[in-house]
Every structure is written in C-alpha cells, then in structure tokens.
Amino acid sequence: MLQFDEETTRVLEDAYQGADISRRRRANFDALQPQPGDRILDLGCGNGLLTLELARTVGPAGHVTGLDASPDMLAAARQRLEGRANTTLTESDAASLPFEPESFDKAVSVQVFEYITSRRPVLRALHHVLQPNGRLVIGDIHWDTLAWHSDNAARMQRFLDIWDAHMAERALPARLPEELRGCGYAPETLQPLTICDTSLRPDGMAAMMIRLIRAYAVESGATDADDAAAWAQEQGELAQEGRFFFSLTHFVCSARRV
C-alpha cells in the first residue's frame, strides 16, 4: 500500500478535482442517470467526490451509500459529506456487501474493478443488492491505450511494467461485458473517454500518475529513488521543451440487472 506524504496528498486532491478526473467522474455520473429519490451504491467511493455529487441529485427523498475498504479514504469522504443526511458510509470488502437484497436502484464503481482479482463474486454480490432492472455502471481504464512519450523508451516501458504489477487486470473493459453477462446482467453501452495531454498540468492525470508510479516503483523495491527521480524528471523537462505527450482511455460500461 502506497504511503503518501503531505505534498503527494495535496497533488492527488488537486488531481481528483481537476479537469481530467472530473470529466471521468462526470462520464460515469451521466451513464448512471441518477434521479431524485434513487437509492444508489457507490462501490469504492474513495474520498467521496462522486458520492457527494450523487447525493445532491437524488435529494432528500433518495439516499447514496458509499462503500470502501480503506479507513483513510472513508475518513476523507466522511469529512466531505458532513451534514448530508441522505448519505451513509460503510467500510467493507466489495464481495461481502452488508446490505439487504434489492436495496438499491443503481450502483456505480469507478476504477475499482481493475484491482479485483476475483470479479465475478463482486458482480454477483452487486446483483443480489440491486433491484430487478437496476442499473450498474463500471468505469475503468484499458491500460493498453496508454501512450506516453519518452526519449528513453526502454526506461519508460520498464516503469510501466512496474506499474502493471499493482493491478489485477490491465484490460478490464475488454473482459467486462462477458463477465457481466455471466453474472446475470444485460450490458448496454461501453463508452470511451480519452484523456490526451500535451502539457504537464499540475492538476492533470499525468502529473498524478507520475507521483504514483514514482512512489510505487521505489516502495515496491522495483528500483531505487535515483532511478525513479530521473524518470520523473525527464517528463518535466519534456514539458518545458514543449514535447510532452500523454494519452489514456477510460471506458464507462453500463448494464442492467436481469
């Protein structure tokens, strides 16, 4: 588990509220089609940004439940949702949802399933707590779409290979429709959202990923701090020279519980 210092935490908070990740969050929000009075489960709610946006939409007649396995993330979400009577936060594993059958009209999960090794038990657990015909939206990245320029292509590939080790499935959007059908859902749409940057914006997804990959590469023991610093430094230099390029595609999959 990555441990973040104060500066990295600030960069991540800026990125989550920056244009790139806000667009991604909005794409999942729109696919979910929240309505006043809806009961919604936000699976892997993290720091609660999407939970809050959904709570505003469902209003006092609806309710949004945020679930996450991280106490630190839930603490941030709890602070963000303070005073929102139509929200609940729950600490739990994704495959062991502590809810009654058919408790929710809709469920959403953004960049969570790519970290789950056994996804079918989680999909079945969601099926159990969703109403018949309830909508499920899952947003995740297909990491084969990552294009990231470097003058040192071999080093860049080495760092991306290191990063691959932190996830369970790098091609989740390609596998998800079949897995959904096998767990009692009817897939409806699979919409791409591409983030493409030619500048290294402080609140952008690329800046966030540089922080995360650099920290993960060192903390996992895959390389040393000097090597990771040199990899990150090159991206800053490319940006100063006007040669920065980063592109990555997030996919939003929507389905109905049969």
Side-chain angles (χ1 to χ4, degrees):
M1 181 69 68
L2 282 170
Q3 300 297 317
F4 299 140
D5 59 23
E6 185 177 346
E7 175 65 12
T8 299
T9 300
R10 183 192 62 77
V11 169
L12 293 180
E13 185 69 14
D14 284 351
Y16 278 122
Q17 297 184 69
D20 289 344
I21 297 183
S22 292
R23 283 177 56 222
R24 184 181 74 177
R25 194 165 57 249
R26 183 71 198 195
N28 287 275
F29 178 101
D30 289 344
L32 192 64
Q33 301 174 13
Q35 298 295 320
D38 277 346
R39 299 165 299 159
I40 298 176
L41 173 62
D42 183 3
L43 179 68
C45 64
N47 62 11
L49 281 166
L50 179 57
T51 316
L52 175 59
E53 291 164 359
L54 292 169
R56 293 189 187 117
T57 298
V58 303
H63 197 89
V64 183
T65 300
L67 181 143
D68 206 284
S70 167
D72 291 338
M73 283 294 188
L74 287 174
R78 193 167 291 111
Q79 184 175 7
R80 178 165 275 117
L81 297 168
E82 187 175 0
R84 295 275 172 179
N86 66 340
T87 63
T88 302
L89 293 173
T90 301
E91 183 179 342
S92 176
D93 177 79
S96 306
L97 303 182
F99 309 115
E100 294 297 319
E102 302 181 3
S103 299
F104 299 99
D105 303 299
K106 298 169 182 175
V108 62
S109 184
V110 181
Q111 205 170 352
V112 173
F113 272 78
E114 67 188 51
Y115 298 110
I116 299 174
T117 303
S118 299
R119 293 179 296 278
R120 290 179 189 268
V122 179
L123 291 172
R124 294 188 186 103
L126 284 166
H127 189 281
H128 183 68
V129 301
L130 274 172
Q131 287 274 353
N133 206 41
R135 179 177 292 275
L136 172 62
V137 169
I138 296 175
D140 261 295
I141 292 168
H142 194 313
W143 288 94
D144 286 350
T145 66
L146 176 60
W148 200 343
H149 174 66
S150 170
D151 287 339
N152 188 334
R155 182 177 62 188
M156 173 60 82
Q157 189 57 55
R158 178 163 54 84
F159 272 82
L160 297 183
D161 289 343
I162 291 169
W163 183 242
D164 275 355
H166 96 291
M167 68 187 82
E169 176 55 65
R170 60 174 286 112
L172 192 279
R175 299 183 180 276
L176 196 53
E178 177 188 4
E179 294 177 354
L180 284 165
R181 283 190 290 269
C183 293
Y185 298 89
E188 293 185 336
T189 61
L190 187 61
Q191 296 292 331
L193 174 68
T194 298
I195 293 166
C196 184
D197 285 335
T198 56
S199 62
L200 185 54
R201 293 175 290 106
D203 68 341
M205 190 165 185
M208 180 184 76
M209 285 192 60
I210 289 170
R211 285 270 180 175
L212 293 177
I213 293 174
R214 177 179 177 177
Y216 179 77
V218 175
E219 291 182 23
S220 66
T223 190
D224 58 41
D226 289 343
D227 185 36
W231 170 79
Q233 181 179 342
E234 187 212 16
Q235 292 301 306
E237 292 170 351
L238 289 171
Q240 290 176 356
E241 296 166 6
R243 298 194 297 124
F244 182 82
F245 181 87
F246 171 94
S247 180
L248 185 63
T249 302
H250 177 94
F251 290 83
V252 181
C253 180
S254 61
R256 292 279 187 180
R257 177 200 189 274
V258 178

